[in-house]
Amino acid sequence: MSRRKTLRHIHQLYSDGTPITMVTAYDFTFARLVEKADLDIILIGDSLGNVIQGQDTTVPVEVDDIIYHTRAVMRGNNTAHILADLPFMSYQAGADDALRNAGRLLKEGGAQAVKLEGGEPVAHLVERMSQAGIPVVGHLGLTPQSVHAFGGYRVQGRGDEAATQLLADARALQEAGAYMLVLEMVPADLAAKVTEALSIPTIGIGAGNQTSGQVLVIQDLLGMNSDFKPKFVKRFAALEETIVDALSAYGDEVRHRAFPDDDHSY
Ligand code: KIV
């Protein structure tokens, strides 16, 4: 009997008003730790382009990359709801592509649901996938796959026109069958308004604390990169320092032939 959280668990948290906890993970080791921390959802995000592959943007990420990392995550975590990103150009060219690639994330990766970026223009894709039995999450606000169109990573939805459009996009995605929305880098009052207007959960990242839940990239919340600190990231640990200290101690002991000592030898 699987202990994995399903769509029904997520809906239950939402109806109970219990904030939903989501974090990214891309491998067995972190996925195992996420299970121990009992977080609700793991997102195998295309942010793996940045934090795993070292790319400048998420644009180069391939469907095969997401499948590979989703499989690794599945082996490390038996309880979280598993959501996988549809990467850039795996759905934008049309519904057949979207359906085929979303199907691969479920069949080959083992994901329970997929996420795509965009509002009204992708609503017809959400509808096709939902009708095919694929649970879909939308992503509005700062949508990193469009970084070149935005000209950088900036707060979205500022001003009346942009806020009205974001609300219309959110409604269109819900109407098309999306079961949850990620809101990234939007003003807190707009995120609260969108959350209030919808009957599906919203998950915020840089969207204030009135959304139905929160998501952060795991390396960011663990403080693993001191060079990257947008305002919305809170570091709940300082692992960069801890890891560098441990690696330096290991290097010193090896160089001085202090490791391995008798306790670590056969
Ligand atoms: O790819 C990702 O990690 C994401 C989150 C930032 C929501 O889409």
Side-chain angles (χ1 to χ4, degrees):
M1 177 76 180
S2 171
R3 291 180 293 135
R4 196 169 292 294
K5 289 192 171 88
T6 63
L7 232 60
R8 285 178 48 190
H9 289 101
I10 305 304
H11 279 301
Q12 194 59 53
L13 291 171
Y14 173 63
S15 345
D16 293 347
T18 305
I20 299 165
T21 55
M22 173 158 137
V23 68
T24 69
Y26 318 96
D27 67 10
F28 171 86
T29 301
F30 276 117
R32 183 179 158 274
L33 300 178
V34 173
E35 177 169 330
K36 284 179 177 279
D38 194 26
L39 300 186
D40 301 315
I41 305 177
I42 290 183
L43 168 66
I44 297 86
D46 59 1
S47 51
L48 69 83
N50 306 105
V51 294
I52 301 293
Q53 297 176 340
Q55 316 267 16
D56 287 339
T57 73
T58 59
V59 168
V61 174
E62 299 288 348
V63 174
D64 284 341
D65 298 331
I66 303 282
I67 290 173
Y68 173 89
H69 288 281
T70 303
R71 284 180 171 164
V73 163
M74 297 291 294
R75 289 191 282 265
N77 184 300
N78 298 297
T79 54
H81 185 64
I82 302 292
L83 170 62
D85 256 346
L86 278 164
F88 183 59
M89 276 304 141
S90 67
Y91 57 93
Q92 286 89 341
D96 290 344
D97 267 6
L99 212 50
R100 193 175 314 111
N101 287 317
R104 287 193 65 205
L105 296 184
L106 268 62
K107 282 164 74 91
E108 298 175 45
Q112 292 164 287
V114 303
K115 175 167 80 58
L116 84 178
E117 298 182 2
E120 284 175 335
V122 300
H124 68 292
L125 306 177
V126 173
E127 191 169 358
R128 267 291 290 282
M129 290 188 277
S130 302
Q131 282 169 354
I134 300 172
V136 183
V137 175
H139 184 155
L140 293 173
L142 189 274
T143 46
Q145 292 175 15
S146 304
V147 60
H148 297 308
F150 288 138
Y153 298 100
R154 295 197 185 82
V155 175
Q156 301 294 311
R158 281 209 165 121
D160 287 350
E161 205 179 313
T164 303
Q165 183 58 52
L166 197 132
L167 192 54
D169 285 332
R171 287 200 166 107
L173 293 171
Q174 172 177 277
E175 182 71 18
Y179 76 95
M180 193 160 71
L181 287 192
V182 168
L183 298 175
E184 179 165 356
M185 284 182 80
V186 301
D189 55 352
L190 175 59
K193 196 170 162 189
V194 171
T195 303
E196 183 67 31
L198 299 184
S199 53
I200 56 173
T202 57
I203 304 290
I205 173 164
N209 73 0
Q210 294 306 304
T211 49
S212 319
Q214 297 291 329
V215 58
L216 281 175
V217 169
I218 197 162
Q219 284 83 353
D220 296 345
L221 83 86
L222 294 176
M224 297 182 76
N225 182 356
S226 57
D227 296 335
F228 183 70
K229 176 72 177 78
K231 185 176 180 193
F232 63 80
V233 168
K234 176 171 176 181
R235 294 187 180 134
F236 289 84
L239 287 200
E240 174 170 308
E241 223 176 292
T242 307
I243 292 170
V244 172
D245 285 353
L247 293 172
S248 301
Y250 165 71
D252 283 349
E253 291 200 13
V254 169
R255 288 184 195 112
H256 291 94
R257 296 198 185 280
F259 174 83
D261 54 12
D262 286 349
D263 284 351
H264 298 93
S265 301
Y266 298 101

